[in-house]
Amino acid sequence: MKIPLFVLGLLNAADAFVAPQKCPSANTHLFMSDRYGVGVNDRARLNIDSGVGSGGAISRRRGDVLDLTEIWEDSSPVIVQGGSLRTWSFANPAIESVQVLLKTEGRPLDADVELWQGPDNTPHKMRVYVEDGALRTFNAVIGTPRGPNTVAIRNIGQLEFPLDAVVRPDRDDGLAAGIASVATRSETIQGGALRTYPFDATVDSVAIILKTDGRPLNARIELLQGPNNNKQVVELYTEDGLDRPFFAIIETPGSGNVIRVVNTAPVEFPLYASVDAYRVGGGIDWPDDGLMIGRAF
């Protein structure tokens, strides 16, 4: 039986409007061009939201971290008077890192921190300035592999500006482990370049990790609160940024806090920076934990 031509035309037109079958192997996962490598669908799955204000910070969940006040309560600080030098020696080669914490009674803090290993060998040194050593204490972990090692702290402030210092070994579950558990995302900062990380007002402290691929590390870390208003500055040198990475916690009370990391080395010496919020809201349980990750520009 012959089918009329107009009937064949209707059948062909109907086939043109048949919905396409869904391919089971098709993947419509959409990713943003985010420096942290988090996709749009990953943000919904991980409960990561875009923040409001502070340069578009983002928020994520995390667990509890080590409280800095516990370290001060469990330790016996040593007073370093203005213009004086104190040293702490660690002969045990099993001690691979030490905690260095500095604070004042509210006066400015200005100190040199050095790691001595052998005669005339200083593989790690820092220049630390804090506007208010009580409001923003200095907290860092420096690597001390292959002992014996000596940590030297010189208070280069005047006699009227003493400081309290705590230097003690860092355990496997200590301060460095807490920082590493929070600051898990890193980015490359080329020599001579800088990155800025704005944080929301709910962030009380920020975790920072700086390291290299084995080359020397030269960097400057600044805490800004307002235009050209440095609240804390750390000038850092490490002989081997892979063997001796730098861990630090910078307290960021108030609003408008921005962390700026500058690679002061030549272009042949890039570094890898991880900057993330450490403690939020003074321990208050926020609906989304309030954790703000500073996004670099």
Side-chain angles (χ1 to χ4, degrees):
M1 182 181 66
K2 293 184 178 181
I3 300 176
L5 294 177
F6 74 92
V7 176
L8 290 175
L10 292 177
L11 291 177
N12 292 334
D15 291 338
F17 292 98
V18 175
Q21 298 295 324
K22 181 179 180 181
C23 180
S25 61
N27 187 4
T28 59
H29 211 65
L30 177 62
F31 285 91
M32 297 177 63
S33 59
D34 190 12
R35 68 176 65 252
Y36 297 113
V38 181
V40 172
N41 293 335
D42 284 341
R43 291 180 182 274
R45 178 170 54 84
L46 298 175
N47 194 21
I48 300 178
D49 304 321
S50 297
V52 178
S54 298
I58 56 179
S59 169
R60 69 172 176 85
R61 293 183 177 273
R62 67 168 170 94
D64 295 334
V65 294
L66 180 64
D67 193 356
L68 295 175
T69 58
E70 297 178 1
I71 299 179
W72 286 102
E73 293 174 356
D74 297 339
S75 306
S76 299
V78 175
I79 299 177
V80 183
Q81 299 291 341
S84 63
L85 171 70
R86 288 296 183 96
T87 60
W88 290 257
S89 297
F90 302 92
N92 189 352
I95 300 176
E96 297 185 350
S97 60
V98 296
Q99 302 172 359
V100 178
L101 291 82
L102 306 176
K103 71 175 183 179
T104 66
E105 296 179 350
R107 302 180 183 184
L109 188 156
D110 200 356
D112 281 334
V113 181
E114 296 182 349
L115 175 66
W116 299 342
Q117 189 179 48
D120 298 327
N121 183 22
T122 307
H124 186 112
K125 57 184 177 181
M126 294 179 290
R127 171 71 182 270
V128 181
Y129 167 77
V130 183
E131 184 184 67
D132 187 335
L135 185 62
R136 302 175 183 87
T137 61
F138 174 76
N139 316 278
V141 178
I142 59 178
T144 58
R146 299 176 300 277
N149 295 275
T150 297
V151 176
I153 298 178
R154 183 185 300 275
N155 187 348
I156 58 179
Q158 298 179 357
L159 183 63
E160 297 82 5
F161 301 99
L163 63 86
D164 295 335
V166 170
V167 180
R168 68 176 193 175
D170 188 53
R171 304 185 304 271
D172 292 338
D173 58 347
L175 193 59
I179 296 173
S181 65
V182 172
T184 57
R185 300 171 179 176
S186 64
E187 65 172 326
T188 303
I189 303 179
Q190 300 294 339
L194 65 87
R195 294 289 186 274
T196 57
Y197 304 83
F199 287 88
D200 191 83
T202 58
V203 177
D204 291 339
S205 58
V206 175
I208 298 176
I209 302 177
L210 299 183
K211 59 183 179 180
T212 67
D213 56 359
R215 308 179 192 187
L217 171 63
N218 288 273
R220 185 173 68 251
I221 304 172
E222 301 175 356
L223 171 62
L224 304 175
Q225 195 174 38
N228 298 322
N229 187 9
N230 288 328
K231 298 296 185 180
Q232 183 169 341
V233 180
V234 179
E235 295 181 356
L236 170 68
Y237 165 77
T238 300
E239 182 181 64
D240 187 336
L242 181 62
D243 197 24
R244 305 173 190 274
F246 177 70
F247 298 81
I249 296 176
I250 295 182
E251 295 181 304
T252 57
S255 60
N257 291 291
V258 176
I259 299 293
R260 180 164 62 187
V261 180
V262 183
N263 187 348
T264 57
V267 70
E268 296 85 3
F269 300 91
L271 65 84
Y272 307 102
S274 300
V275 182
D276 206 338
Y278 185 77
R279 180 165 293 278
V280 179
I284 300 176
D285 293 331
W286 298 82
D288 58 353
D289 287 347
L291 181 58
M292 308 302 296
I293 305 175
R295 177 174 298 178
F297 290 92

